[in-house]
Amino acid sequence: MDQIGHWMKREVVSVTPDATLREVAALILEKRVGTLPVVDNGGTLVGTVSITDIVKMFLPDFVAVMDEIDFVHDFGNLENASVEDRQRAKRLHVSDVMEEPVAMEEDAGLVHALSVMEKHNLRDLIVIREGKLVGIASQVDIGRAFLTEFTKETGPLYT
Amino acid sequence: MLINISVVLLFAASFAGILAGKVHRAIFAMLGAVLMVLLGLVLDFYSQEQALRAIDFNTLGLLFGMMVMVAVLKNTGYFEYVAILIAKRTKGNPWILLVALGTITTVASLFLDNVTTVIIMAPVTILIAGILGISSIPLLMAEALLANTGGVATLVGDPPNILIGSAANLSFIDFVVNLGPIVLAAWFVTLVLIRLLFREELAQQPSNPEALQALDEHEALKDRTSANKVLILLAGVVVLFFLHSTLHIQAGLVALIGAAATLFWLQPDIEEVMEGIEWPILLFFAALFVIVGGVEASGLLDLVGGSLSDLSSEDVILMGVALIWVAAIASAVIDNIPFTIAMIPIIQAIARPGLDITPLWWALALGAGFGGNATPIGSTANIVVVTLSEKTKHPITTRIWLRNGLPISISTCVVATILYVVFFGILK
C-alpha cells in the first residue's frame, strides 16, 4: 500500500500560538479549511486548532456540565451570542484553545493513517517529517487514496 | 520510645502528604496505612488483626449504602425535575430562586452526603442560571454553603458527623435534638448574609425569563417509576434512621438495608451503579482508620491524652468552645475528614469518670462543619462547586469565595458558640 506523503496536500495554512482567535476565524473562512496546524517559529508542530474549538467558546456554560439537554426547548436570548463572548474570543489566543496535535510521519501507510483518524475522530491528519509540518491530508484525501488502490486491485467494474 | 518516635514520624508524614494534595489523598493514605501496619509488625505494637479491627465498618457501610441509593436515584433525573419545577415557580427572580435551590439542596443534604447533593444540583443550577441569563456564582455558593451548614444537623449529613456518631455511639435523634436548633439558627444567618454579600448580583434582572418556562421538567425526569421506588425506600431509610437506636441497629446497617432493597427492587445495571460509587472516598476512610488505629495501638495517644487531661479543665463547656474554634480553623485550611478522625481518639482520651464529654462531640461537629465554609478547599462540596464553575465563563475564584465564605463561616461559628454555651452550659 501507498504512503500518506503521496496523497497529502503540501500547501498547508498554519498559525502560530500567539495568533488571536479573531485572526484564526478569518483564516478558516478565507481558506475554507476545518483544521489548522499550530506551529512555533521554528516550524515545529505544537498543536491543532479547528472550527469546533472556536465555536465551542460561544456555547452556553451548561452544555459543558449537563449530561443531557434534550429537555431545553427554548434557548431564548442565548441564541444571540453575547457581546461578552465576542469580546472574550477577541482577547483569547490560539494557545488558549489549541489541542494536542495528532500527526503522522509522511512515510506512514494508508491503513495506519485511516486507523489513527478513526480512533481520534479526526477529519484532517497532519503530516510531519522529523517533527516539522510538511502537509495535511483530509479524510477524503486518504479515503480517495485507499479506494484508488482498492479499485485497481479488484479490476474495472464495467467492461 | 523508638515506637513512639517512629509512629509520630509516620503519622506526620502521612497527614502532611494527604493534606499537601500533590498525590491523590486516597493513594497517600493507603501508602501510610500499609507502612503503619508494616511498622507495627516490625516493632511489634500493631498486629494485622488489630489493623483490620481499626476499620470502622459502620461508617463505611453508611457511606456505601447511601452512595448506592443516590447512584440509582441520580440516574432517574429526579433532582433535575425538582430543581426545574421549583425554579419555574420562582419566575426567575434571582433571590427567590437562590432560596428555593438552597432549600432543596439543604433538605437533600440532611439525608444524603453534601458532596453528592452538590454534584447533582450544581449542573442543573448552571443550566437554570444560563437560561435565565443571570450569574450562577451566588446560586452555586449558596448551595454549597447551605448544604454544609444544614448537613451538620444530622448523623448522615456530613462525613465528620458519621465518624463522630459511630465513634461516640450517638444516634440520629441525638444529632437532630442537640444540633438541630443551633444549625437552624446558623442556616438562617447564612442565608441572610448571602443576601447581603451578593446584593448586587441578586439585583440583576434575568434577561430571559420566558426561556425558563419552556424547560420541560417532565422530560428531565427520565425514569419516573424508578425515581418513585427509590424515594419510597429512601423515606423508609429516614424513618429507620430515627428509630435505629431504639431498634438497636447501627446506622450503617440501615443504609445497607436501603441499598440492598433498592438493588433488589429496581434491579438496575449493577456495573453502572458501582461506577457511581465514590470508591476513592471509601478507600481514604479505611486507610485513615488503619493509620489512626496504629497510632492508638502504639500507646502514643495515652501519653497525649494524659497530658491533655492534666491541661484540660473540669469545664467541658469552655473546652467545647475552644474546640469549636480549633476545629473550625483546622477545617477551613485542611480536609475535615482526616482532622476529625485524628481528633476522635484525642477527645476519647480526655474522658474520665465523672466527666461527661458528650458536649465535646457536638463542638467538634459544629466546628468541623461551619469552619469548612470559610475557604474553597474547606469542604469537598466547595471543591466540587468551584471545579464545576471553572468549566463556565464565570469561575468562582478563591478571592470571591473568601470574600463571601469567610464572613459567613465566622458568623455561623459565633452563633454556634453563643447557642452552645446557652444550650449545653446555661440551660443544662
Side-chain angles (χ1 to χ4, degrees):
Chain A
M1 268 285 177
D2 223 337
Q3 299 177 340
I4 42 170
H6 297 150
W7 296 90
M8 70 188 184
K9 290 185 278 282
R10 288 181 188 276
E11 282 157 37
V12 197
V13 190
S14 64
V15 287
T16 51
D18 55 0
T20 66
L21 290 194
R22 174 78 178 67
E23 289 162 356
V24 176
L27 206 56
I28 285 176
L29 288 177
E30 188 199 319
K31 305 283 182 187
R32 298 177 157 271
V33 290
T35 311
L36 293 175
V38 184
V39 292
D40 65 12
N41 291 330
T44 305
L45 182 68
V46 291
T48 64
V49 59
S50 68
I51 291 191
T52 327
D53 297 327
I54 298 179
V55 294
K56 236 190 256 171
M57 322 267 322
F58 297 95
L59 297 181
D61 288 335
F62 61 82
V63 179
V65 297
M66 292 290 290
D67 292 335
E68 240 176 76
I69 56 160
D70 293 348
F71 55 89
V72 185
H73 294 291
D74 181 4
F75 271 53
N77 282 353
L78 295 175
E79 282 301 339
N80 317 320
S82 72
V83 180
E84 201 186 341
D85 279 345
R86 283 162 207 243
Q87 294 300 341
R88 204 165 60 102
K90 274 183 207 161
R91 276 199 313 275
L92 286 175
H93 295 96
V94 169
S95 51
D96 297 316
V97 297
M98 70 184 188
E99 297 194 20
E100 286 283 308
V102 178
M104 295 193 80
E105 289 286 335
E106 58 182 342
D107 58 357
L110 294 178
V111 176
H112 191 179
L114 275 176
S115 310
V116 169
M117 293 177 87
E118 168 75 19
K119 275 295 163 202
H120 289 272
N121 225 343
L122 300 176
R123 277 174 306 176
D124 298 286
L125 184 65
I126 293 165
V127 185
I128 49 173
R129 185 189 303 141
E130 286 157 8
K132 305 275 191 211
L133 175 70
V134 291
I136 192 163
S138 71
Q139 222 166 22
V140 175
D141 292 336
I142 295 182
R144 209 181 271 277
F146 198 86
L147 294 185
T148 308
E149 297 285 332
F150 175 67
T151 46
K152 240 189 257 168
E153 234 170 65
T154 49
L157 259 188
Y158 308 102
T159 48
Chain B
M1 200 56 200
L2 175 64
I3 293 179
N4 284 341
I5 291 172
S6 48
V7 166
V8 167
L9 286 178
L10 179 54
F11 177 79
S14 305
F15 269 57
I18 289 165
L19 300 173
K22 284 263 183 232
V23 181
H24 191 286
R25 56 182 185 168
I27 296 176
F28 224 104
M30 190 176 166
L31 181 69
V34 170
L35 289 177
M36 184 63 85
V37 177
L38 286 176
L39 189 67
L41 288 178
V42 171
L43 300 181
D44 198 26
F45 68 89
Y46 193 34
S47 71
Q48 296 170 65
E49 293 72 28
Q50 275 176 298
L52 203 56
R53 271 200 305 276
I55 300 175
D56 181 355
F57 285 99
N58 183 39
T59 295
L60 294 184
L62 185 46
L63 288 167
F64 176 76
M66 297 314 281
M67 282 177 189
V68 168
M69 298 190 79
V70 170
V72 176
L73 185 59
K74 191 179 157 188
N75 292 338
T76 65
Y78 180 73
F79 286 93
E80 287 83 358
Y81 166 79
V82 175
I84 294 170
L85 183 77
I86 302 283
K88 282 164 80 170
R89 296 280 159 84
T90 67
K91 305 260 192 302
N93 177 312
W95 165 239
I96 300 176
L97 182 66
L98 183 145
V99 176
L101 291 177
T103 307
I104 301 171
T105 315
T106 307
V107 171
S109 77
L110 290 177
F111 305 106
L112 309 174
D113 178 43
N114 296 344
V115 180
T116 325
T117 319
V118 168
I119 285 177
I120 299 172
M121 288 299 291
V124 71
T125 302
I126 293 172
L127 167 75
I128 292 170
I131 288 287
L132 277 172
I134 59 174
S135 168
S136 61
I137 293 177
L139 301 174
L140 290 174
M141 276 196 68
E143 284 172 359
L145 295 168
L146 293 170
N148 286 339
T149 309
V152 178
T154 68
L155 171 69
V156 296
D158 215 7
N161 286 17
I162 299 179
L163 290 165
I164 293 168
S166 194
N169 205 14
L170 296 164
S171 74
F172 192 87
I173 294 188
D174 290 333
F175 273 89
V176 175
V177 170
N178 287 284
L179 293 179
I182 300 179
V183 169
L184 194 65
W187 191 87
F188 277 107
V189 168
T190 306
L191 196 60
V192 169
L193 285 173
I194 289 172
R195 177 84 181 99
L196 290 174
L197 291 163
F198 285 111
R199 58 188 175 278
E200 275 168 39
E201 290 88 338
L202 292 171
Q204 223 182 347
Q205 282 305 311
S207 58
N208 213 9
E210 308 79 28
L212 177 67
Q213 301 303 326
L215 288 178
D216 189 344
E217 66 272 19
H218 297 288
E219 265 183 78
L221 183 55
K222 283 170 283 183
D223 186 348
R224 178 180 289 271
T225 324
S226 297
N228 287 341
K229 287 179 183 174
V230 187
L231 288 171
I232 291 169
L233 292 173
L234 211 48
V237 165
V238 171
V239 170
L240 280 179
F241 275 146
F242 277 99
L243 297 174
H244 81 97
S245 55
T246 326
L247 296 171
H248 300 292
I249 52 175
Q250 291 190 323
L253 182 59
V254 171
L256 288 172
I257 292 170
T262 304
L263 292 177
F264 187 69
W265 196 12
L266 282 93
Q267 309 217 341
D269 180 351
I270 188 77
E271 301 282 345
E272 210 175 289
V273 176
M274 290 300 129
E275 273 170 29
I277 304 297
E278 289 160 69
W279 296 106
I281 294 267
L282 298 176
L283 174 64
F284 181 55
F285 270 92
L288 283 174
F289 286 134
V290 172
I291 294 175
V292 175
V295 178
E296 281 186 84
S298 72
L300 188 69
L301 282 169
D302 299 334
L303 283 176
V304 178
S307 45
L308 265 183
S309 41
D310 292 340
L311 278 176
S312 67
S313 62
E314 290 296 311
D315 191 347
V316 174
I317 299 309
L318 192 66
M319 279 195 282
V321 170
L323 186 54
I324 289 178
W325 289 91
V326 169
I329 292 167
S331 299
V333 286
I334 65 172
D335 192 341
N336 63 12
I337 296 169
F339 174 76
T340 308
I341 290 187
M343 281 306 287
I344 283 171
I346 296 179
I347 294 178
Q348 280 166 337
I350 294 175
R352 53 179 179 269
L355 189 70
D356 178 17
I357 56 160
T358 315
L360 293 182
W361 297 121
W362 306 134
L364 179 59
L366 289 167
F370 296 168
N373 276 341
T375 64
I377 54 154
S379 86
T380 321
N382 303 0
I383 297 174
V384 168
V385 164
V386 170
T387 312
L388 261 176
S389 89
E390 278 165 359
K391 290 190 187 173
T392 75
K393 289 160 199 152
H394 301 281
I396 302 174
T397 58
T398 302
R399 232 178 96 98
I400 295 180
W401 192 288
L402 289 177
R403 201 178 58 214
N404 301 288
L406 190 60
I408 288 177
S409 179
I410 295 173
S411 311
T412 49
C413 284
V414 170
V415 171
T417 305
I418 296 169
L419 293 179
Y420 184 84
V421 173
V422 171
F423 288 145
F424 300 108
I426 300 170
L427 295 183
K428 274 281 147 76

